[in-house]
Amino acid sequence: MDHVSLLLVDDEQAILHMLKTVLLKEQFLDIDTVTTGEAALEACSNKTYHCIVLDIMLPGRSGLEICPFLRQITDAPILFLTAKTTDYDKLTGFAVGGDDYVVKPFNPLEVVARIKSLLNRYLPSKATAFQQNNQEYVKTSSPNTPQGVYNYGRFQVNELAGELRVEGKAVTCPALVFQLLLFFCKHPNRIFTKSELYERVWGSEAISDDNTVMVHIHRIRERIEADPSNPAFLVNVRGLGYKLIKPGSMSRT
């Protein structure tokens, strides 16, 4: 489980310590802990997690209030910790984007079992999505490139591992920044408008926001470009949109 990243969100340090101790014994080695919803949002904006354990009763904004905002930046399964036991409360948790819940007080081994169950559903589904949507990549990639890795020379994107490597070094990448970069990698040398990018990556039901796309373009360039102010890979085609240039076709239109 050393490839799985977990985020634990609870304002009770004793619960965080107990859960982390048990999870470490179960070979979950990459575990972050925060005590507020705002800190959870910041953590998910800077790192890709595979599962989030989220307490409902948090200081400031509750877990129920923060969950929809988490859903805008991560598709990782969310396991609610709740002291509330009514069907209404449970249904509310599912309605705002939760995937499962455990009622306090709980046996920490039950939490571990629930996390493993969520991961068993989540991680294979990511692999299946890759297999279904990767036909273009399979046709155009080098035969020496491992399946699921988009190699652009200076940087590589590993879809199944959710990893960006630049000049051989792993670079942290927020979930939506990674998803936007991955979309470009799957469609090299093709121009997309900001509205097209928003619809394809954020979803057709999201409210289009050109500034959001531009911010994420900037964050990608900060990671993959030697000189973000003069990009060689992710370029703007004036009046048309953006495209990711594949090595060997470095002309700019």
Side-chain angles (χ1 to χ4, degrees), residues 193-206:
T193 66
K194 285 179 284 190
S195 60
E196 286 174 331
L197 291 170
Y198 203 88
E199 180 175 342
R200 299 288 290 275
V201 178
W202 277 260
S204 59
E205 296 181 358

Side-chain angles (χ1 to χ4, degrees), residues 30 54-55 62 96 120 167 210 233:
D30 186 358
L54 179 62
D55 186 28
S62 71
V96 297
N120 285 338
E167 295 187 326
D210 286 353
F233 292 98

Side-chain angles (χ1 to χ4, degrees), residues 60-237:
R61 289 190 286 182
S62 71
L64 293 177
E65 292 175 305
I66 214 72
C67 188
F69 295 97
L70 288 173
R71 273 288 164 253
Q72 294 179 18
I73 55 177
T74 178
D75 62 350
I78 295 175
L79 173 65
F80 275 120
L81 301 180
T82 176
K84 300 180 178 182
T85 58
T86 68
D87 289 339
Y88 174 78
D89 294 320
K90 297 171 185 176
L91 291 173
T92 300
F94 289 125
V96 297
D99 297 278
D100 201 355
Y101 64 90
V102 174
V103 177
K104 293 181 178 181
F106 54 79
N107 184 327
L109 292 177
E110 180 184 0
V111 175
V112 173
R114 302 269 186 165
I115 290 173
K116 289 182 177 179
S117 177
L118 290 171
L119 289 173
N120 285 338
R121 297 198 299 267
Y122 173 70
L123 295 179
S125 70
K126 300 290 279 187
T128 300
F130 160 74
Q131 293 168 357
Q132 293 175 343
N133 296 307
N134 199 41
Q135 295 304 312
E136 179 175 346
Y137 165 72
V138 171
K139 294 177 182 177
T140 60
S141 62
S142 164
N144 296 321
T145 302
Q147 189 177 37
V149 177
Y150 298 80
N151 190 348
Y152 277 72
R154 173 178 165 81
F155 68 94
Q156 297 80 39
V157 176
N158 188 322
E159 180 175 13
L160 297 184
E163 182 180 64
L164 168 64
R165 300 188 73 86
V166 180
E167 295 187 326
K169 297 180 180 179
V171 175
T172 59
C173 200
L176 275 173
V177 174
F178 183 84
Q179 290 173 23
L180 181 58
L181 175 56
L182 181 61
F183 177 79
F184 275 118
C185 288
K186 288 183 176 181
H187 305 89
N189 305 318
R190 286 180 55 182
I191 299 172
F192 294 94
T193 66
K194 285 179 284 190
S195 60
E196 286 174 331
L197 291 170
Y198 203 88
E199 180 175 342
R200 299 288 290 275
V201 178
W202 277 260
S204 59
E205 296 181 358
I207 300 175
S208 181
D209 183 349
D210 286 353
N211 186 60
T212 296
V213 174
M214 292 174 65
V215 168
H216 283 71
I217 293 287
H218 176 70
R219 289 175 177 173
I220 290 175
R221 286 173 171 166
E222 286 181 324
R223 289 164 170 80
I224 68 172
E225 301 284 359
D227 180 4
S229 63
N230 185 30
F233 292 98
L234 185 50
V235 302
N236 173 240
V237 183

